Amino acid sequence: MTRLTRRQFLVGSSLGASALALGGCDLLGSNDQTQTILGSAETLTMTVQRLLQSRGALAREFAEANVSPTFRVNGTSAPDSEEYARLREDGFQSWRLTIDGLVERPQQFSLLDLKALPARTQITRHDCVEGWSAIGKWTGVPLGSLLKSVGLKSSARYAVFHCADELEKTLDGSGRYYESIDLIDAFHPQTILAYAMNGQDLSIGHGAPLRLRVERQLGYKQAKYLMRIEIVESFAQLWGGGGGYWEDRGYEWYAGI
Ligand SMILES: Nc1nc2c(c(=O)[nH]1)N[C@H]1C(S)=C(S)[C@@H](COP(=O)(O)O)O[C@H]1N2
Ligand SMILES: [Mo]
């Protein structure tokens, strides 16, 4: 329903842009420069429209029979902080996911809170930039529904995911894993906070108790060991400014597949 509405909006806006371009030609006559500018504005509208439509498309989903018998653990396989050790010891009963930043009602969710919400299950292929893939079944809460429940402020642009693990030991904490996505991906129907994989609670290796699945992007965006989601207007001031641990070390921020 929302997707249809946005599609209609996009079709409407592109018609609007060409009508405007025509009107401009009538008014401004045959000034070459004006026509060039109007022409490129129309091309831009078309490009943006195609981009938005493809960003809304669904990642391929697979059947149970396609689930990979083994799914590699990559990056951190267990956060080594004392805080995480304590959480792990009590079976993540005292773990809380904080959602704060540019939201109307900052909130903390326990694992039970999340499991009580409407869930989505999807069987998708994970593609790591290092050249391996695996198909897994993920169950979790659509991120969009949580963001609706906390309410976004009008300046909100990105969701930043703060993780429990330090992938690189540093004095200033800049080796902490983090990631970020924009609101198009945050509200994508396949973007979920997963607490289960292949029908079982997430293992420590795969990101217990909660990880992000953002299925139209590469493996390094799939942040494990989530502790906090911070809604921001810009991530330029955060750590290296790239919007993620690997982005700060040279990877693309938008890792579309
Ligand atoms: N917190 C955290 N999230 C992370 C990583 C990590 O090291 N720490 N590695 C990333 C990379 S590169 C990949 S390919 C996937 C691996 O997920 P998996 O261990 O479940 O296969 O997690 C991503 N998310
Ligand atoms: Mo990866």
Side-chain angles (χ1 to χ4, degrees):
M1 184 62 204
T2 337
R3 282 159 54 75
L4 243 188
T5 309
R6 192 177 67 194
R7 206 190 151 92
Q8 283 162 348
F9 165 77
L10 286 170
V11 169
S13 67
S14 113
L15 286 179
S18 24
L20 187 72
L22 277 177
C25 287
D26 282 351
L27 271 176
L28 299 166
S30 57
N31 178 322
D32 278 352
Q33 206 187 351
T34 311
Q35 288 197 344
T36 311
I37 290 168
L38 289 172
S40 61
E42 196 178 346
T43 312
L44 185 69
T45 307
M46 246 167 59
T47 310
V48 168
Q49 179 184 336
R50 292 214 175 112
L51 185 71
L52 287 180
Q53 278 177 347
S54 69
R55 295 275 317 270
L58 294 178
R60 180 169 171 201
E61 294 195 15
F62 297 81
E64 292 273 354
N66 302 121
V67 169
S68 302
T70 57
F71 195 120
R72 182 169 148 176
V73 167
N74 208 34
T76 300
S77 54
D80 59 8
S81 68
E82 275 177 32
E83 187 194 7
Y84 189 82
R86 270 195 304 275
L87 295 171
R88 180 180 176 167
E89 229 155 76
D90 82 349
F92 299 104
Q93 282 183 70
S94 57
W95 170 90
R96 295 289 181 274
L97 174 73
T98 301
I99 305 187
D100 62 4
L102 299 173
V103 300
E104 301 291 350
R105 296 168 295 279
Q107 217 170 308
Q108 292 204 315
F109 297 88
S110 71
L111 204 49
L112 284 178
D113 292 338
L114 296 176
K115 287 183 174 178
L117 294 171
R120 179 182 162 92
T121 294
Q122 59 203 30
I123 301 175
T124 54
R125 198 183 67 202
H126 174 107
D127 295 307
C128 174
V129 75
E130 293 165 13
W132 59 272
S133 299
I135 293 174
K137 179 166 101 170
W138 305 99
T139 302
V141 186
L143 176 59
S145 66
L146 283 184
L147 295 184
K148 274 181 209 152
S149 88
V150 297
L152 295 185
K153 295 198 168 164
S154 61
S155 49
R157 292 292 177 275
Y158 302 97
V160 176
F161 302 86
H162 297 279
C163 305
D165 58 317
E166 245 184 310
L167 196 47
E168 184 189 331
K169 293 286 164 207
T170 59
L171 290 175
D172 65 353
S174 62
R176 270 270 186 140
Y177 206 92
Y178 79 105
E179 257 305 338
S180 61
I181 60 176
D182 64 18
L183 294 186
I184 298 179
D185 269 338
F187 284 93
H188 187 284
Q190 288 169 321
T191 298
I192 64 173
L193 302 179
Y195 46 73
M197 177 189 185
N198 299 341
Q200 314 235 303
D201 281 354
L202 264 192
S203 65
I204 303 290
H206 291 296
L210 194 74
R211 80 175 305 165
L212 174 66
R213 292 302 309 174
V214 47
E215 303 292 359
R216 302 286 316 279
Q217 295 205 56
L218 286 171
Y220 61 88
K221 300 298 287 191
Q222 323 297 325
K224 306 194 278 188
Y225 316 113
L226 296 181
M227 300 299 292
R228 175 181 173 216
I229 300 177
E230 183 189 9
I231 305 301
V232 299
E233 183 167 12
S234 162
F235 47 75
Q237 304 305 319
L238 191 63
W239 301 121
Y245 175 92
W246 284 114
E247 290 85 335
D248 286 344
R249 289 155 182 80
Y251 286 24
E252 292 289 325
W253 175 77
Y254 188 75
I257 41 178

